[in-house]
């Protein structure tokens, strides 16, 4: 099962356009996953009826777009970053900017001032932007940029330490030795726990630890995948879907080295929130899945039947990352998440 052709996307476009009438945050103050899940389902081969069914089931969580203080120009936008409830105003600003300057130019200019806060809303701002870029709609890209702006969450400035390794995994291992950090971040949602970690003096300068090279993006992705494969942790799952999102958004970024530094900082904060576990061989946690005959087609088919948006997104991201990196952990990790075995996925 391969991704559908663009010519088959009319039903998807209609559903995505309808979603723009709602806020990027649900009525329970969580990220609105509907547009991301619909894109992932479509790319995994879900039928038009299945897309409509998923949207119908999700619609009860949606909330109206709140009125907010207008955002008129670039300086006002910079001042409004991180302002909750600003999604609607931000969208108006980005709609006008994209109409005037085009998607690529607007994304490049603004992501340069958002990358240091990409951890916001458990990475869902950067993920929504990435999926909007894949859906190729000016209005949806404006919505993605607006949400990334609204949930902008910096975790600390650069310049407090010095690089000492090119290996993200080695840097994470050092964090696992900082006992005080492991006692932090026990309450709140993912984003709140990450802010708790970032506010502690022991975390200052972590962003500077990693020496960025040409292979840093691949190493960061491998570290995020290994963390999820070893732990099956929900926060670590977001590290995988964020890795996929950053791979997409990086095509519209001029300073990719800075993006890598901020991505490492965010991954490190997420790692601490789950207890900074000592990572052993991730294969040990996937032993029961390595012998299955599941394929990406089978796993994708199983994911399209799921009503869990995180299952859908994880499988889609894992498949796309596997195509880019051939990381052998991705297929069994996706199979584990979806519960796909040879018999179940093929049935």
């Amino acid at each position: 099962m391969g991704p559908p052709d663009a010519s088959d996307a009319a039903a998807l476009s209609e559903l995505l356009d309808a979603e723009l009438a709602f806020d990027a945050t649900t009525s329970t103050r969580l990220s609105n996953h509907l547009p991301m899940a619909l894109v992932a389902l479509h790319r995994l081969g879900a039928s038009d009826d299945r897309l409509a069914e998923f949207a119908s089931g999700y619609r009860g969580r949606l909330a109206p777009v709140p009125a907010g203080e207008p955002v008129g120009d670039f300086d006002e936008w910079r001042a409004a970053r991180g302002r909750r409830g600003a999604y609607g105003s931000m969208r108006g600003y980005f709609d006008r900017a994209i109409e005037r300057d085009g998607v690529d130019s607007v994304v490049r200019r603004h992501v340069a001032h958002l990358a240091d806060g990409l951890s916001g809303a458990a990475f869902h701002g950067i993920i929504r932007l990435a999926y909007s870029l894949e859906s190729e709609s000016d209005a949806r890209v404006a919505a993605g940029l607006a949400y990334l702006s609204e949930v902008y969450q910096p975790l600390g400035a650069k310049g407090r330490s010095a690089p000492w390794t090119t290996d993200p995994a080695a840097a994470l291992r050092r964090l696992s030795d900082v006992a005080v950090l492991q006692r932090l971040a026990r309450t709140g949602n993912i984003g709140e726990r990450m802010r708790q970690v970032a506010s502690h003096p022991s975390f200052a300068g972590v962003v500077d630890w990693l020496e960025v090279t040409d292979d840093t993006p691949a190493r960061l992705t491998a570290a995020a995948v290994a963390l999820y494969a070893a732990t099956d942790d929900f926060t670590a799952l977001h590290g995988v879907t964020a890795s996929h999102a950053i791979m997409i958004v990086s095509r519209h970024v001029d300073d990719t080295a800075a993006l890598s530094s901020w991505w490492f900082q965010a991954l490190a904060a997420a790692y601490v929130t789950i207890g900074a576990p000592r990572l052993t061989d991730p294969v040990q946690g996937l032993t029961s899945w390595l012998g299955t005959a599941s394929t990406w087609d089978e796993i994708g088919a199983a994911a399209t039947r799921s009503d869990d948006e995180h299952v859908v997104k994880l499988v889609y991201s894992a498949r796309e990352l596997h195509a880019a990196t051939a990381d052998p952990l991705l297929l069994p990790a996706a199979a584990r998440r979806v519960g796909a075995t040879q018999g179940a996925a093929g049935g």
Side-chain angles (χ1 to χ4, degrees):
M1 179 191 305
D5 294 333
S7 59
D8 298 328
L12 172 67
S13 293
E14 183 176 344
L15 291 168
L16 291 174
D17 289 344
E19 185 278 333
L20 291 174
F22 298 95
D23 194 13
T25 304
T26 68
S27 57
T28 55
R29 306 310 300 162
L30 298 174
S31 294
N32 170 5
H33 289 71
L34 181 57
M36 298 174 275
L38 288 172
V39 170
L41 282 166
H42 177 72
R43 295 298 179 92
L44 290 172
S47 68
D48 291 352
D49 287 344
R50 175 59 184 139
L51 296 180
E53 178 186 45
F54 188 94
S56 177
Y58 199 96
R59 197 165 288 121
R61 309 184 208 180
L62 301 181
V65 179
E69 184 178 343
V71 176
D73 59 25
F74 183 78
D75 289 337
E76 289 183 7
W77 166 78
R78 287 193 67 184
R81 290 172 302 168
R83 182 193 298 163
R84 295 309 167 104
Y87 172 70
S89 300
M90 296 279 199
R91 268 183 52 185
Y93 166 75
F94 282 115
D95 282 335
R96 295 188 299 273
I98 289 173
E99 182 178 9
R100 182 181 64 245
D101 300 324
V103 164
D104 185 68
S105 176
V106 171
V107 173
R108 286 183 188 278
R109 185 184 188 196
H110 290 82
V111 169
H113 299 274
L114 292 168
D116 62 325
L118 62 83
S119 71
F123 305 107
H124 285 113
I126 195 79
I127 295 170
R128 177 156 184 162
L129 174 58
Y131 280 49
S132 72
L133 288 166
E134 291 216 298
S135 72
E136 298 182 339
S137 156
D138 290 0
R140 294 172 212 146
V141 173
L145 284 166
Y147 189 49
L148 179 57
S149 301
E150 182 189 22
V151 300
Y152 174 71
Q153 178 179 271
L155 298 177
K158 292 183 181 181
R160 300 181 182 180
S161 185
W164 56 269
T165 182
T166 60
D167 183 3
L172 294 180
R173 284 193 293 272
R174 176 178 286 188
L175 279 170
S176 72
D177 293 331
V178 183
V180 66
L181 289 177
Q182 297 183 42
R183 296 193 292 269
L184 297 176
R186 295 294 185 233
T187 59
N189 60 33
I190 294 173
E192 290 166 348
R193 296 197 304 271
M194 291 173 71
R195 286 197 298 273
Q196 292 172 38
V197 169
S199 67
H200 195 276
S202 297
F203 195 78
V206 168
V207 66
D208 302 309
W209 286 4
L210 195 65
E211 179 183 347
V212 177
T213 62
D214 289 345
D215 64 351
T216 296
R219 284 173 173 259
L220 282 167
T221 296
V225 170
L227 179 62
Y228 176 63
T231 64
D232 196 25
D233 180 87
F234 185 63
T235 297
L237 177 153
H238 289 81
V240 177
T241 51
S243 293
H244 174 216
I246 290 166
M247 180 179 73
I248 295 168
V249 174
S250 68
R251 301 165 189 158
H252 303 267
V253 170
D254 293 319
D255 191 350
T256 55
L259 179 63
S260 290
S261 292
W262 298 123
W263 170 216
F264 167 69
Q265 181 191 49
L267 180 63
Y271 171 70
V272 173
T273 69
I274 65 175
R278 278 279 185 181
L279 293 181
T280 55
D281 183 358
V283 172
Q284 293 179 5
L286 293 170
T287 301
S288 63
W289 301 98
L290 291 171
T292 71
S294 297
T295 65
W296 283 116
D297 284 351
E298 292 170 333
I299 296 169
T304 63
R305 298 191 291 270
S306 176
D307 291 325
D308 186 334
E309 60 270 23
H310 289 97
V311 168
V312 174
K313 288 165 51 195
L314 184 279
V315 170
Y316 173 52
S317 290
R319 189 191 71 178
E320 297 302 292
L321 288 172
H322 185 264
T325 69
D327 189 322
L329 295 174
L330 282 162
L331 190 143
R336 179 180 62 190
R337 189 68 191 182
V338 82
T341 64
Q342 182 177 8

